[in-house]
Structures are given as structure tokens and as C-alpha cells.
Amino acid sequence: MRNFWCEINLDNVEHNINKIRETTNKKLMAVVKGNAYGLGVENMSLILDSLVDGFAVSNIEEALQVKSKKDILVLYPELGDDDIDLIKDNFIITVDNRIILDKLEATGRKYRVHIYVDTGMNRFGVKPNDLNNFINDIREKYKNIIIHGIYTHLQNTGDNSYTLKQIESFKNVIVDYIGEIENIHLLNSNGFLKYNKNADFDNWVRLGNVLYGYNAAGYGYKKVFFYKARAIRVYDLKMGETIGYGNSYKARENIKVGILDVGFIDKLGCVLESKANIFRDIAKAVYHHVKYHSGINYNGRIIRILGKPNMNFTLIDMSGIKEDAVFNIELPSVIADSSIPKKYRKGDSYVSI
Ligand SMILES: *Cc1c(COP(=O)(O)O)cnc(C)c1O
């Protein structure tokens, strides 16, 4: 096991959920697709099970990994032939066309489905004008299929007037079904942060980012994951000795060196690369940040990387730092890397899930 890990702070997870609950009475569907945004779907679903009302994933394979008896909405409206037999009673299937309905109907089993309405994403979904027909068709021809919900997805929440119109147009096409179809939802994280009050006809929110504290700075949500590492070796380097590939660092005094088993493979030290001029300054700033601020710190102190991060290892200056110190590692990853081992913290200690 590596001495580098991703710490998931369960207190922060609870903080985020409490904050969501304070903001809305709508039910909370935890989106745990993509291995729970890299945080580990099995453990995250166990942790979230008692705190949320349901789950959402991309496909059947992901649904099978969720450890919960609560409802799990499968968002991607496609089923492979080998998926059909794997559908469990607590899975809810998203439908947007008759091919998928035929596949479900053919088994003779009963299924609960949510209809996905396309209000602008232009990816999947029933077009608003076709919705009435689609619903009538299901009711008349697909006796095993229960319309349990209806939803859409907001794909341009940065544009206020567009999004307000989109919410309004979704409301207009589903208004006749309010009360008749039990579950209605449209808000992802950005939608929830900005438009929760504007959506006054839905009863669920579908949240990923906010739950894990990504992209929610300024709204009082806390990031839930942090990279940590402890030195796997510590040794002395004498003044004048060099270190690393290309002898890239030369000690100007006697120092203590530590080896961390985190490296380029984990994106430590990666910088943005771009040929476009407008990005060159950003790339330079990032490079400067990486070079001089390193992305490694201990108790608020910036730790010097000696030379460059290697593929799997990074050498750091540990002079004056105790050998078992736990370093904070900043990585430029957009989501948590699934391959990095996880540890789950509650209060001051790690807990097993
Ligand atoms: C991924 C996804 C979400 C969650 O989005 P966040 O921005 O992470 O909250 C909600 N709905 C659908 C359809 C999604 O694909």
C-alpha cells in the first residue's frame, strides 16, 4: 500500500448534507456516477445511505456497485442486452424512446421508469412536443411500465435568462402531470445553488458536485477530499551533493531529504500546456506556482521539491520536520483520482466503513 492517500472527510460530507437540508425540503438524490466522482462508490454509498433519499448513477454497471436498498436512478437511457437481467427492484430506469421500452416490456417484469425530457442539452431525451404522446403510449401499450418520475437537466446555468426560460418551459410541458406523476426533478448542483427557488414544482434535487464540495466555493459548502502523504524514507544530504535526474538539485547546506511516493503519475507538478497566447500567461503562472509553491505543504508551510517530481516519487526538503509528518498534497485533478487509495476520516481519526 502506498504511503500516499486521499482522505475523505466525513464531517464535511455531513456538513454539506446538512446545508442542503437547511436550504430545501426537496428530497436529495446523491449522484454517485463515475465511482462517486472518484471517491469510491461502494464506500461513499454506504456512508451516504442513511443521509440521502436516493442515488443516481450513469448505467447499470454502476448501479450494481451502489451499496443501498434505496432507489437508484440510472441516468443513461440505454440498455445493453446483458443489462436487462441485472436490473434489481430498486433500480429506476431512465427512458426516452420506444426501443428501450420494448426491451423492458419483453421481459414481462414490472419496472419503474423516469422519463427524461430534453429541454436544451440536445443529448438524450424526449422532445417537449413529443411528451404527451410518449406518456400516452406508455400508459396504453406498456402495461408493465410504471411512470414513476419525469425530469430534465439544466446545461447552461451560467446564463441566467436562458436557464429561467428553460425551467419555465419544463414546467409548462409537465404541469399537467404534477400530482399525477410522483417524482419531478431538474436541479443539478449549479441549478440548485442558483435556481432552487425558481423551481417551485419539483420534489427532488440531483446533486454530485455540491455534495463533494467541488465548485461550490462561496456557497458555504466544504470540499470533502484531501490528498496526504508521509515520507517513505528520510536521509541526509551533505552540502555540495546533488540529487535526482540530471543532478537537478544541488544542496547549498546539509539538509534532510524525504521521499514521497507520489509523482507525475498522480499529476503532481503537471502544468497546463497551451500554444495559444492568451493561455501562455496562465500556464506560466501555474508553472511558477508549481515550481515555487510546489503543491506540497505541512502545517501551512510550503515544502520545497528537490528537482522535479519523478514518475512515482518526489524528493522534498524535510529539514526541521519530523519524520512521520503528514504532508498535504495539492493536485490539479478535476475530480478525485479513482486509483489513489482512500481513507475516511471522522473527527481526528480514520474509520473503517
Ligand atoms: C451528473 C449529473 C448530475 C449531477 O451533477 P452535479 O453538477 O455534479 O450536481 C445531475 N443530473 C444529471 C442528469 C447528471 O448527469
Side-chain angles (χ1 to χ4, degrees):
M1 183 87 153
R2 299 172 72 183
N3 223 344
F4 166 56
W5 65 97
C6 176
E7 174 181 301
I8 293 157
N9 187 312
L10 301 183
D11 300 321
N12 291 4
V13 173
E14 274 189 43
H15 166 91
N16 291 346
I17 289 175
N18 289 338
K19 200 158 162 51
I20 294 163
R21 297 298 196 187
E22 282 162 20
T23 312
T24 187
N25 291 325
K26 295 172 191 175
K27 287 191 243 176
L28 170 56
M29 196 185 296
V31 181
V32 292
K33 66 190 181 192
N35 195 27
Y37 292 44
L39 300 177
V41 61
E42 293 190 4
N43 284 329
M44 287 310 290
S45 55
L46 285 168
I47 290 160
L48 292 169
D49 192 38
S50 62
L51 304 171
V52 304
D53 303 300
F55 292 91
V57 293
S58 272
N59 52 45
I60 299 291
E61 200 182 330
E62 289 186 345
L64 291 167
Q65 296 172 333
V66 175
K67 301 276 180 233
S68 173
K69 294 200 161 62
K70 291 193 167 148
D71 284 347
I72 304 166
L73 176 65
V74 178
L75 296 164
Y76 175 45
E78 284 289 336
L79 287 175
D81 291 336
D82 47 354
D83 286 332
I84 301 271
D85 293 338
L86 301 172
I87 298 173
K88 294 191 188 165
D89 289 340
N90 62 330
F91 294 5
I92 297 172
I93 308 301
T94 293
V95 296
D96 70 348
N97 66 41
R98 287 165 184 80
I99 298 170
I100 191 168
L101 293 172
D102 288 340
K103 282 188 187 173
L104 293 172
E105 188 73 4
T107 69
R109 278 174 59 192
K110 271 204 176 341
Y111 298 96
R112 292 174 302 158
V113 302
H114 284 203
I115 298 171
Y116 176 57
V117 183
D118 180 17
T119 54
M121 180 91 173
N122 286 324
R123 187 173 59 178
F124 305 113
V126 180
K127 300 291 179 205
N129 286 341
D130 299 332
L131 184 65
N132 280 336
N133 273 340
F134 192 67
I135 291 177
N136 290 339
D137 237 27
I138 296 178
R139 286 176 171 166
E140 283 165 23
K141 298 187 198 144
Y142 298 92
K143 298 294 180 202
N144 291 335
I145 293 186
I146 300 152
I147 304 173
H148 179 261
I150 191 160
Y151 71 100
T152 192
H153 193 37
L154 303 177
Q155 89 290 359
N156 189 14
T157 48
D159 185 332
N160 195 44
S161 66
Y162 177 91
T163 303
L164 290 175
K165 269 192 228 145
Q166 190 177 13
I167 292 172
E168 208 48 40
S169 69
F170 180 59
K171 184 175 178 176
N172 288 339
V173 289
I174 60 109
V175 72
D176 292 343
Y177 300 102
I178 294 175
E180 207 178 297
I181 295 177
E182 204 180 329
N183 301 290
I184 296 172
H185 44 104
L186 66 158
L187 300 177
N188 55 359
S189 290
N190 280 336
F192 172 67
L193 292 174
K194 295 179 182 169
Y195 303 101
N196 185 46
K197 289 219 167 68
N198 303 96
D200 54 1
F201 52 91
D202 56 340
N203 51 6
W204 285 85
V205 292
R206 302 187 307 266
L207 306 181
N209 278 309
V210 154
L211 212 51
Y212 312 121
Y214 291 102
N215 301 338
Y219 289 93
Y221 292 89
K222 293 183 180 170
K223 192 174 167 195
V224 307
F225 69 96
F226 305 91
Y227 295 108
K228 307 274 178 180
R230 212 181 257 128
I232 53 170
R233 266 188 206 184
V234 180
Y235 54 94
D236 294 317
L237 190 72
K238 294 211 176 66
M239 188 170 84
E241 286 180 326
T242 57
I243 206 169
Y245 287 113
N247 294 339
S248 53
Y249 175 80
K250 184 171 182 182
R252 296 213 185 94
E253 57 197 322
N254 295 342
I255 61 168
K256 198 160 78 165
V257 176
I259 305 178
L260 303 181
D261 64 344
V262 45
F264 216 60
I265 193 98
D266 308 297
K267 304 189 192 70
L268 182 66
C270 287
V271 293
L272 293 175
E273 266 185 47
S274 176
K275 288 189 179 118
N277 273 347
I278 38 167
F279 292 120
R280 200 169 55 203
D281 290 347
I282 299 173
K284 261 193 197 157
V286 172
Y287 178 71
H288 193 269
H289 175 85
V290 169
K291 187 166 180 198
Y292 297 103
H293 297 271
S294 92
I296 301 178
N297 72 72
Y298 173 68
N299 280 348
R301 168 174 159 191
I302 290 156
I303 299 300
R304 190 156 50 131
I305 294 178
L306 307 174
K308 275 194 237 163
N310 310 159
M311 191 56 81
N312 300 82
F313 302 109
T314 298
L315 306 173
I316 59 170
D317 183 355
M318 279 184 66
S319 306
I321 294 174
K322 58 186 186 351
E323 300 204 354
D324 65 350
V326 173
F327 296 94
N328 299 305
I329 315 288
E330 284 170 41
L331 298 178
S333 48
V334 178
I335 66 164
D337 185 331
S338 289
S339 69
I340 296 170
K342 306 292 182 306
K343 290 188 190 181
Y344 299 83
R345 176 192 282 273
K346 201 155 181 47
D348 284 334
S349 45
Y350 290 123
V351 294
S352 56
I353 303 302

